[in-house]
Amino acid sequence: ETAVFQTPNYHVTQVGNEVSFNCKQTLGHDTMYWYKQDSKKLLKIMFSYNNKQLIVNETVPRRFSPQSSDKAHLNLRIKSVEPEDSAVYLCASRLQYNYAEQFFGPGTRLTVL
Amino acid sequence: GDSVTQTEGLVTLTEGLPVMLNCTYQTAYSTFLFWYVQHLNEAPKLLLKSSTDNKRTEHQGFHATLHKSSSSFHLQKSSAQLSDSALYYCALNNNRIFFGDGTQLVVKP
């Protein structure tokens, strides 16, 4: 099956803990993304990454960091979570040309207590 | 800078009535516009896309026409169905990707 896979589906943690989310795509794409979808359903791009370049949204707090082992994997680490980090984190991938659509994973719902 | 504007946060209408969700954009670069749909507890997925001025594109009963003169890419459907209830995002691709804030469409019986 070719798709974008994310683990875990849900994660509940306490303020100050470190969390990591995994994303894998089997579509042969060369570019991957992390988005944050907040309670108002706003979709905010956090990072985009291909095997050449990492682009960081300058509004993303430094406790967030992407980690990639190859072009099929892009993980997200949050060093010390805060309550405002509660959201759904969506991973997406695409081919790096302007008319290419993005394919989204099912998301990881993070709840910070 | 580049941006996408969706003026309606929530659209509520009765089944069978026409749907129109607004999308305008701002860019100085190449124009590639997309509509994504996200049903409840699902991932966003592509509904339709266009880069050709004044050409209607259609998919699953929805259609949109890119009008570069007015920087618009409104999503339309002639008759809403209950299953159309979802969140709709308009997006612009150039070297970066810009999403609108989304429009929640609620279709009632």
Side-chain angles (χ1 to χ4, degrees):
Chain A
E1 182 186 3
T2 55
V4 181
F5 302 93
Q6 291 186 240
T7 58
N9 294 328
Y10 304 92
H11 189 81
V12 180
T13 190
Q14 300 206 334
V15 171
N17 285 350
E18 178 175 315
V19 298
S20 287
F21 304 146
N22 301 312
C23 180
K24 170 187 172 182
Q25 56 93 4
T26 57
L27 297 162
H29 292 163
D30 55 11
T31 304
M32 297 184 71
Y33 303 83
W34 277 107
Y35 289 88
K36 179 181 180 181
Q37 188 175 43
D38 62 19
S39 58
K40 296 181 180 178
K41 303 299 184 183
L42 296 178
L43 202 57
K44 297 294 187 186
I45 189 167
M46 302 179 72
F47 304 99
S48 67
Y49 189 81
N50 61 28
N51 54 14
K52 299 173 187 175
Q53 188 178 18
L54 170 67
I55 299 175
V56 180
N57 184 328
E58 60 273 10
T59 66
V60 173
R62 295 181 70 175
R63 61 181 180 277
F64 289 84
S65 60
Q67 299 170 317
S68 179
S69 56
D70 55 57
K71 67 178 183 179
H73 296 83
L74 184 64
N75 300 329
L76 181 67
R77 185 179 78 155
I78 313 174
K79 217 181 223 182
S80 176
V81 295
E82 298 188 6
E84 60 264 32
D85 298 338
S86 294
V88 175
Y89 291 86
L90 291 164
C91 178
S93 72
R94 67 189 279 254
L95 290 171
Q96 184 65 7
Y97 65 93
N98 285 342
Y99 206 41
E101 69 180 272
Q102 290 187 75
F103 291 80
F104 286 85
T108 295
R109 181 176 295 278
L110 173 66
T111 302
V112 181
L113 302 176
Chain B
D2 294 359
S3 65
V4 174
T5 300
Q6 294 180 248
T7 51
E8 310 104 346
L10 172 66
V11 171
T12 304
L13 47 78
T14 303
E15 187 179 17
L17 290 180
V19 179
M20 181 161 170
L21 306 184
N22 291 318
C23 173
T24 56
Y25 64 90
Q26 186 173 359
T27 183
Y29 303 102
S30 301
T31 313
F32 300 88
L33 271 294
F34 299 73
W35 276 101
Y36 288 87
V37 58
Q38 185 178 24
H39 288 95
L40 188 62
N41 296 324
E42 295 184 9
K45 59 184 178 183
L46 180 71
L47 180 57
L48 47 78
K49 64 182 181 181
S50 181
S51 63
T52 306
D53 198 11
N54 297 319
K55 181 180 178 182
R56 174 170 161 148
T57 182
E58 298 188 34
H59 186 62
Q60 296 183 338
F62 286 89
H63 63 91
T65 303
L66 176 60
H67 292 296
K68 294 185 179 181
S69 60
S70 58
S71 298
S72 66
F73 190 56
H74 306 319
L75 182 67
Q76 299 182 69
K77 188 177 185 183
S78 59
S79 176
Q81 298 177 292
L82 295 176
S83 57
D84 294 331
S85 293
L87 184 57
Y88 293 81
Y89 291 103
C90 184
L92 166 70
N93 274 24
N94 42 47
N95 284 329
R96 296 180 63 185
I97 297 171
F98 301 86
F99 277 86
D101 289 347
T103 297
Q104 183 73 50
L105 175 64
V106 177
V107 181
K108 296 184 175 180

